């Protein structure tokens, strides 16, 4: 059957790109060495800061979030340095694998993929390191593969309680612009982000927000870097330029997306995401299914991961939903493959879009023969009828 209507892209990123952003990106490309581009560059670099919660520099790369991971590591660390990472999900696992490949020593703390980073576990690691061999703590703020959000402010407090000088590096790829985040107030040294989720852009831009402590560390860090090196980028950014050919039209889109976030107000953006996440969890529990995140304090505002009943294949359920209702849901990744599906509810999203999404999931579960309560969506609809 040929699909009609608009496809529902309900994976947890890339998200739906708003029409305003698409139209902004359709502008003619300009000279990236000319005065018009300098105006664009300076405006975007300044407008990014409130979204990160920082007054410090934010570096933009024409790359995916994986590139920003590497930039965070190579600018602050040296071969043989020890970093502590936590197994909160698939992407935390990939980041620690990258650290190993770059020649770092990784202390990888195992986890069950249902909980975020335990602040006390961070403190224990640092208390047991009187020689300060550990140079950085790596944390994924919102684990896209699980729908679990780690408590960064508490992790910062745990680090401070030990007096340890380790850097704090945080991945916000699926939380920035969707879940409250404060780079400065929470004492983060490098924040990693990408364009294709809460910032409502296509993939292709990534970011490092950089503390003064991280800038100082970059002066003595000895991991090899060239393209990812902060210093020439920061120097060029002072004039609104970049030391390489930038993704001009994506920057047009970024400027428009930042305007949209400012118009709504970041506090309202975060409240909208919390509300949609709550309604989604009500639907999941109304169906008689289980949310993967096991700690009420750590539910994600960006996505909800749903455990399918024993004997059922989440990927087959997703296939039914795609075939019948033209809607894409996120797959289970790594050890969760076939066991969960993920509902994205982030970015340019409203109540009616969520109601349609949940209706499609419910109809797909019934069509796939999954034993659910077909009135489960009602609790979500009741929540959406309230502010």
């Amino acid at each position: 059957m040929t699909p009609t209507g608009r496809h529902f892209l309900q994976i947890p990123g890339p998200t739906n790109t708003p029409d305003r952003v698409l139209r902004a990106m359709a502008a003619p490309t300009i000279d990236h060495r000319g005065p018009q581009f300098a105006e664009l560059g300076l405006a975007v670099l300044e407008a990014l800061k409130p979204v990160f919660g920082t007054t410090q520099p934010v570096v933009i790369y024409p790359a995916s979030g994986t590139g920003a991971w590497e930039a965070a590591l190579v600018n602050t660390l040296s071969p043989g340095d020890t970093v502590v990472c936590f197994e909160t999900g698939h992407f935390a696992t990939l980041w620690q694998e990258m650290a190993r490949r770059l020649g770092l020593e990784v202390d990888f703390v195992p986890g069950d993929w249902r909980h975020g980073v335990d602040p006390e576990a961070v403190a224990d690691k640092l208390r047991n390191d009187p020689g300060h061999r550990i140079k950085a703590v790596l944390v994924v703020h919102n684990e896209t593969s699980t729908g679990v959000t780690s408590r960064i402010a508490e992790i910062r407090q745990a680090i401070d309680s030990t007096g340890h000088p380790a850097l704090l590096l945080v991945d916000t790829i699926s939380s920035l612009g969707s879940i409250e985040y404060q780079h400065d107030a929470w004492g983060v040294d490098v924040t990693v982000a990408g364009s294709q989720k809460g910032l409502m852009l296509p993939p292709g831009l990534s970011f490092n927000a950089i503390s003064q402590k991280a800038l100082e560390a970059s002066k003595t860090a000895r991991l090899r870097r060239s393209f990812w090196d902060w210093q020439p980028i920061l120097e060029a950014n002072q004039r609104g330029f970049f030391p390489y050919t930038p993704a001009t039209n994506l920057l047009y889109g970024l400027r428009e997306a930042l305007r949209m976030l400012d118009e709504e107000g970041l506090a309202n953006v975060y409240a909208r995401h919390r509300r949609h996440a709550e309604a989604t969890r009500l639907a999941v529990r109304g169906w008689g299914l289980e949310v993967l995140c096991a700690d009420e304090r750590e539910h994600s505002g960006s996505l909800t991961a749903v455990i399918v009943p024993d004997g059922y294949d989440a990927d087959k359920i997703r296939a039914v939903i795609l075939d019948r209702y033209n809607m894409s849901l996120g797959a289970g990744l790594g050890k969760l493959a076939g066991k969960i599906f993920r509902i994205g509810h982030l970015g340019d999203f409203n109540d009616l879009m969520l109601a349609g999404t949940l209706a499609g999931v419910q109809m797909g579960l019934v069509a796939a023969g999954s034993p659910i309560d077909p009135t489960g969506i009602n609790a979500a609809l009741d929540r959406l009828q309230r502010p």
Side-chain angles (χ1 to χ4, degrees):
M1 181 184 297
T2 302
T4 58
R6 190 165 186 168
H7 176 68
F8 269 59
L9 181 67
Q10 299 312 137
I11 61 176
T15 60
N16 301 284
T17 303
D19 290 341
R20 279 179 60 176
V21 173
L22 291 172
R23 287 194 295 269
M25 290 171 55
T29 302
I30 58 175
D31 175 13
H32 62 285
R33 304 295 181 208
Q36 188 179 355
F37 183 88
E39 182 180 345
L40 170 66
L42 289 171
V44 166
L45 288 165
E46 191 61 30
L48 272 172
K49 292 179 180 179
V51 182
F52 283 87
T54 188
T55 60
Q56 299 298 309
V58 179
V59 166
I60 305 174
Y61 295 103
S64 70
T66 305
W69 272 353
E70 182 163 337
L73 297 173
V74 299
N75 278 285
T76 58
L77 299 165
S78 298
D81 280 353
T82 297
V83 297
V84 177
C85 306
F86 297 83
E87 189 193 5
T88 52
H90 181 69
F91 293 100
T93 303
L94 292 179
W95 200 11
Q96 67 88 25
E97 289 176 356
M98 172 186 281
R100 292 182 194 277
R101 290 195 300 271
L102 290 171
L104 299 170
E105 296 294 325
V106 177
D107 183 351
F108 193 39
V109 180
D112 63 1
W113 292 38
R114 300 194 67 180
H115 294 83
V117 176
D118 179 0
E120 190 54 38
V122 176
D124 285 345
K125 285 289 179 183
L126 299 182
R127 287 192 196 102
N128 291 318
D129 179 38
H132 298 166
R133 291 182 59 255
I134 296 169
K135 302 303 180 184
V137 176
L138 277 57
V139 177
V140 175
H141 181 214
N142 187 73
E143 178 54 71
T144 320
S145 65
T146 66
V148 175
T149 304
S150 289
R151 292 163 279 143
I152 303 301
E154 293 182 34
I155 292 168
R156 177 75 262 175
Q157 292 169 3
I159 294 172
D160 290 346
S161 73
T162 69
H164 198 288
L167 296 166
L168 176 58
L169 279 52
V170 179
D171 169 345
T172 67
I173 290 171
S174 64
S175 58
L176 191 80
S178 302
I179 300 170
E180 183 179 4
Y181 186 78
Q182 298 292 334
H183 175 89
D184 288 356
W186 295 349
V188 180
D189 293 299
V190 186
T191 297
V192 172
S195 59
Q196 73 276 19
K197 298 182 189 282
L199 292 179
M200 304 177 288
L201 289 162
L205 295 179
S206 61
F207 310 88
N208 279 174
I210 308 165
S211 75
Q212 188 60 44
K213 182 178 176 181
L215 281 174
E216 289 301 315
S218 72
K219 296 176 182 178
T220 56
R222 292 182 289 104
L223 281 176
R224 298 180 69 175
R225 58 191 187 268
S226 176
F227 177 78
W228 306 115
D229 193 348
W230 289 337
Q231 199 54 51
I233 303 172
L234 292 171
E235 289 174 2
N237 282 174
Q238 292 178 14
R239 304 182 305 280
F241 297 115
F242 294 84
Y244 42 71
T245 304
T248 306
N249 288 56
L250 281 173
L251 293 176
Y252 285 147
L254 177 59
R255 180 172 60 184
E256 191 66 23
L258 293 171
R259 286 172 177 164
M260 291 176 67
L261 291 173
D262 182 62
E263 288 167 11
E264 185 176 358
L266 285 173
N268 295 325
V269 172
Y270 302 146
R272 170 168 57 84
H273 282 79
R274 287 193 300 270
R275 182 168 166 272
H276 287 163
E278 181 186 350
T280 302
R281 294 194 301 274
L282 287 168
V284 172
R285 290 163 179 160
W287 293 325
L289 301 179
E290 187 177 0
V291 174
L292 181 67
C293 179
D295 189 328
E296 291 290 332
R297 299 170 297 174
E298 297 176 339
H299 285 305
S300 170
S302 297
L303 72 136
T304 300
V306 183
I307 302 173
V308 301
D310 289 342
Y312 288 82
D313 186 328
D315 291 336
K316 291 181 180 178
I317 293 171
R318 290 174 49 252
V320 169
I321 292 171
L322 177 61
D323 179 61
R324 294 204 181 191
Y325 306 114
N326 195 23
M327 180 165 69
S328 296
L329 299 175
L333 301 175
K335 65 174 69 175
L336 296 175
K339 298 177 181 178
I340 69 161
F341 60 85
R342 295 172 295 146
I343 303 171
H345 37 72
L346 71 162
D348 186 37
F349 203 58
N350 62 32
D351 288 5
L352 196 57
M353 293 166 73
L354 179 60
T357 297
L358 297 176
V361 173
Q362 178 166 298
M363 290 188 294
L365 287 165
V366 172
S370 178
I372 66 161
D373 182 341
T375 66
I377 195 174
N378 292 346
L381 298 180
D382 288 343
R383 178 65 187 91
L384 292 177
Q385 289 175 327
R386 293 182 279 111

